[in-house]
Amino acid sequence: MQTHDGWLVRVTPDPTGLNPGQSAFLADYAARHGNARITLTLRGNLQLRGLDHQAALDFTSHAVARGLGMEVPQQEARRRILFASPLAGLDPDCAEDTLALAHEITQAMRDLPPLWHPPEKFSLAVDGGGLVPSGALRGDLALRHEAGKWVLYEGALRHQPDRAELVDEVLAALQRSAHRAVADRALHRAAPFGGTIPPLLGPFLPGCFGAVAVLGEISAQTLASIASAGAAIRLTPWRGLVLDRPVAAHDLITDPQDRRADLVACPGAGRCAQAHAPTQRDALSLVTELRGRRLHVSGCAKGCASHGIHDVTLVAGPKGYDLVWQGSVSDQPAESGLDIEDVRRRLRRA
């Protein structure tokens, strides 16, 4: 995929995560061929940016050779829609067959009709519950372990087939989904999650050390350091990592009191053709003014980094920032045409 700052490639790790060798390969490729930055997404994926066209074309074969994806593009596109509980197999309270079920579905998707392909941005969650409660993983289709049984949610519809029929039910739902428009996504009809997602920072389970990437990005050097330490990685759909040993880095948040965790921002000007401001730099410059408030800085009205409600939302435009209190990018701003120092003064007063 071509972007304003070059070509982008995505990596969807297996639900069991990345081993040190895979992490070392990605770090090296990002440093040698990209901009040496690695983005963590809300789908539990990684993105390498700033590649030239040839490096982007060559990436797939190198990645597949290291167990990062499937060689056949059609099968890889199907595999990528699935994500599973990041603590499956690590958390004793997560359903013990979560990883096995995810593997069964991945294998079964190979048998879908040749012309079937997933709708744009479609997702399938295998949610085993546990420390991260059932329902926290959001997908157009969601398998959730509830009261000892697997339940299939298709938007607002709830199915509870027998375990032996579960994979077939998922395949049938996948085939139904192919005929729906993006605007009619099942996820848009799903009930909101009403629980609480634990922060997963620092040590939180035996052999589990959590971290969140500052503004959703880490450097290639940080990933290389994780690989050098021999750490295995699980990715979370909240731009976080779960490591099997502690690794410190300046762009990893491991302390719940680190206020950088309150920031959300898109890549911003220089990396996106639509952005009107250096969003990440501006977000970091405001962190000391937030006093516990959550901030979203968007480079344009699209709000790619978040469509949710934040205590403070800044939307960049040709004439400066729009300022929204307790709202999202789509809400009416309280003020418009502000520069970053104007925003800083507003935050100090509020």
Side-chain angles (χ1 to χ4, degrees):
M1 175 180 174
Q2 190 170 19
T3 65
H4 186 61
D5 59 341
W7 287 79
L8 174 154
V9 294
R10 291 190 179 93
V11 179
T12 301
D14 183 85
T16 56
L18 296 169
N19 61 45
Q22 292 169 332
S23 296
F25 157 69
L26 293 172
D28 179 68
Y29 209 89
R32 287 195 298 116
H33 300 289
N35 64 3
R37 304 291 300 168
I38 296 159
T39 303
L40 282 66
T41 78
L42 292 174
R43 294 279 293 272
N45 296 331
L46 296 174
Q47 295 178 352
L48 280 61
R49 303 177 64 111
L51 283 69
D52 64 33
H53 190 209
Q54 190 59 50
L57 291 174
D58 293 343
F59 177 79
T60 298
S61 60
H62 292 301
V64 169
R66 291 162 176 81
L68 293 169
M70 296 180 174
E71 187 172 5
V72 179
Q74 178 196 61
Q75 299 298 342
E76 175 63 3
R78 296 176 179 186
R79 185 189 73 87
R80 284 185 173 186
I81 70 173
L82 185 146
F83 65 106
S85 298
L87 302 182
L90 305 174
D91 176 6
D93 293 324
C94 183
E96 64 180 13
D97 60 340
T98 301
L99 291 176
L101 181 56
H103 179 72
E104 289 175 42
I105 295 170
T106 299
Q107 294 299 111
M109 284 193 291
R110 294 171 179 247
D111 298 327
L112 286 166
L115 294 180
W116 185 89
H117 59 87
E120 184 181 359
K121 298 185 178 180
F122 188 87
S123 58
L124 165 58
V126 182
D127 184 350
L131 180 63
V132 177
S134 182
L137 272 62
R138 313 294 291 166
D140 295 278
L141 295 180
L143 282 165
R144 297 177 187 157
H145 200 255
E146 300 176 348
K149 295 183 179 295
W150 286 102
V151 179
L152 174 61
Y153 286 86
E154 188 176 357
L157 300 177
R158 186 180 189 273
H159 314 276
Q160 191 169 338
D162 293 336
R163 177 63 174 84
E165 302 171 347
L166 195 55
V167 174
D168 288 338
E169 285 287 337
V170 170
L171 294 183
L174 286 171
Q175 294 196 63
R176 289 192 294 271
S177 72
H179 305 293
R180 293 198 178 101
V182 174
D184 190 36
R185 288 181 63 188
L187 181 58
H188 297 159
R189 303 191 301 274
F193 174 60
T196 301
I197 301 171
L200 306 184
L201 294 176
F204 62 90
L205 283 174
C208 291
F209 300 85
V212 171
V214 175
L215 292 171
E217 288 190 353
I218 59 174
S219 67
Q221 182 179 0
T222 291
L223 187 58
S225 296
I226 293 172
S228 296
I233 301 174
R234 295 278 187 96
L235 299 175
T236 79
W238 306 287
R239 297 192 171 105
L241 306 93
V242 177
L243 311 176
D244 62 357
R245 64 200 68 187
V247 178
H250 73 282
D251 48 8
L252 291 179
I253 298 170
T254 59
D255 181 357
Q257 301 306 312
D258 190 329
R259 297 276 56 96
R260 294 177 299 170
D262 296 329
L263 305 176
V264 177
C266 62
R271 298 173 59 191
C272 174
Q274 306 300 318
H276 296 281
T279 52
Q280 296 193 352
R281 186 188 72 189
D282 286 349
L284 288 168
S285 77
L286 295 173
V287 69
T288 57
E289 315 295 346
L290 293 175
R291 302 192 302 277
R293 293 172 290 192
R294 287 189 53 78
L295 169 68
H296 173 207
V297 185
S298 181
C300 71
K302 290 166 60 177
C304 297
S306 174
H307 293 288
I309 294 174
H310 297 261
D311 299 309
V312 184
T313 298
L314 300 177
V315 183
K319 297 182 180 180
Y321 279 115
D322 289 348
L323 171 61
V324 179
W325 300 104
Q326 294 294 331
S328 69
V329 292
S330 59
D331 289 324
Q332 187 69 24
E335 294 185 78
S336 298
L338 304 178
D339 65 28
I340 197 64
E341 293 307 317
D342 294 329
V343 173
R344 193 183 316 280
R345 285 189 288 269
R346 302 308 190 271
L347 291 174
R348 287 172 179 171
R349 292 202 305 256

